Amino acid sequence: DGGITQSPKYLFRKEGQNVTLSCEQNLNHDAMYWYRQDPGQGLRLIYYSQIVNDFQKGDIAEGYSVSREKKESFPLTVTSAQKNPTAFYLCASSPQRNTGELFFGEGSRLTVL
Amino acid sequence: GQQVMQIPQYQHVQEGEDFTTYCNSSTTLSNIQWYKQRPGGHPVFLIQLVKSGEVKKQKRLTFQFGEAKKNSSLHITATQTTDVGTYFCAPRGSGYSTLTFGKGTMLLVSP
């Protein structure tokens, strides 16, 4: 089935550790996005990529890093510099740049102990 | 940057009652999308509105785009327990390449 796969679904990490969240899509979409969701805050854009080997910062990029080496993959690294990393992270893709609906993965819930 | 306000933040209705959520932008929009997120789930696309004054219907859901393309609404007629979830508007401003999500309206429906 076509779709977006995020892993892991749940992740626990100690303070000071980096962690990488995986996002893979087989929809042949050009654009991919990472959002962070906190209770009552809606979705906030971390990073996005509209083409392979290119990505842009979103509204809350500090403490995060991404790469886009393949069209299908857009991993997100939550670094130790991120002060409040505990959140629900959502990856999404869209078929076209700047337009079109977003297709979301099931999300990764990160808890920092 | 673009400011998006979505109201109400939360609404609890009895099954069969109507429900409306409103989305207001500080700037003129090129289009607006609406998403639904069930509890514990991920957002799912509902619809996109593009034209000034546009009205679209999906069964019991009615979506409107304001004449000035600065606001939008989602109305659910005769709510059902399956309507439970958080509804997000996601406007796209003119010249912006990404969507800005509102904080959402959480709908609870009691049987």
Side-chain angles (χ1 to χ4, degrees):
Chain A
D1 284 357
I4 300 178
T5 302
Q6 287 188 243
S7 63
K9 196 166 185 177
Y10 300 95
L11 185 62
F12 298 88
R13 136 191 154 186
K14 294 182 179 179
E15 277 192 30
Q17 291 181 334
N18 291 355
V19 61
T20 297
L21 307 180
S22 170
C23 179
E24 303 279 331
Q25 55 102 356
N26 59 6
L27 300 169
N28 199 34
H29 286 174
D30 284 330
M32 297 187 74
Y33 310 81
W34 274 104
Y35 288 90
R36 170 180 172 141
Q37 186 172 33
D38 297 284
Q41 292 297 314
L43 279 71
R44 292 184 289 169
L45 183 63
I46 304 172
Y47 268 99
Y48 65 102
S49 168
Q50 300 191 37
I51 196 169
V52 175
N53 292 322
D54 188 43
F55 50 82
Q56 285 80 39
K57 293 181 178 180
D59 300 319
I60 55 165
E62 186 175 350
Y64 300 98
S65 66
V66 293
S67 62
R68 186 87 188 274
E69 297 177 1
K70 298 186 300 182
K71 187 175 185 178
E72 304 80 20
S73 180
F74 192 42
L76 173 74
T77 297
V78 185
T79 75
S80 56
Q82 168 50 233
K83 295 180 180 179
N84 297 298
T86 294
F88 187 48
Y89 291 89
L90 287 158
C91 180
S93 70
S94 64
Q96 302 131 342
R97 309 177 206 178
N98 305 342
T99 62
E101 68 185 86
L102 298 182
F103 294 78
F104 284 88
E106 295 189 348
S108 293
R109 191 167 297 277
L110 172 63
T111 302
V112 175
L113 306 172
Chain B
Q2 183 174 274
Q3 301 293 324
V4 179
M5 180 173 291
Q6 197 172 345
I7 54 172
Q9 191 174 350
Y10 171 84
Q11 188 151 10
H12 184 182
V13 301
Q14 292 294 122
E15 192 171 22
E17 293 180 339
D18 292 356
F19 160 78
T20 305
T21 174
Y22 300 91
C23 183
N24 298 300
S25 170
S26 57
T27 59
T28 302
L29 306 171
S30 61
N31 60 62
I32 188 165
Q33 297 179 2
W34 285 90
Y35 291 79
K36 176 183 178 181
Q37 184 176 23
R38 295 184 188 274
H42 58 278
V44 174
F45 174 80
L46 294 175
I47 209 156
Q48 175 169 285
L49 305 172
V50 178
K51 299 177 183 176
S52 168
E54 188 170 16
V55 178
K56 286 189 176 180
K57 293 190 176 184
Q58 289 179 350
K59 297 184 180 178
R60 295 178 294 104
L61 277 62
T62 301
F63 303 84
Q64 283 191 290
F65 202 6
E67 294 288 343
K69 298 185 75 174
K70 283 189 171 185
N71 56 72
S72 180
S73 65
L74 158 59
H75 179 81
I76 302 179
T77 303
T79 54
Q80 300 176 358
T81 54
T82 53
D83 295 325
V84 165
T86 300
Y87 293 85
F88 293 98
C89 67
R92 193 190 306 274
S94 303
Y96 289 99
S97 62
T98 59
L99 297 171
T100 299
F101 280 79
K103 292 187 177 183
T105 296
M106 183 184 295
L107 173 63
L108 181 62
V109 181
S110 294

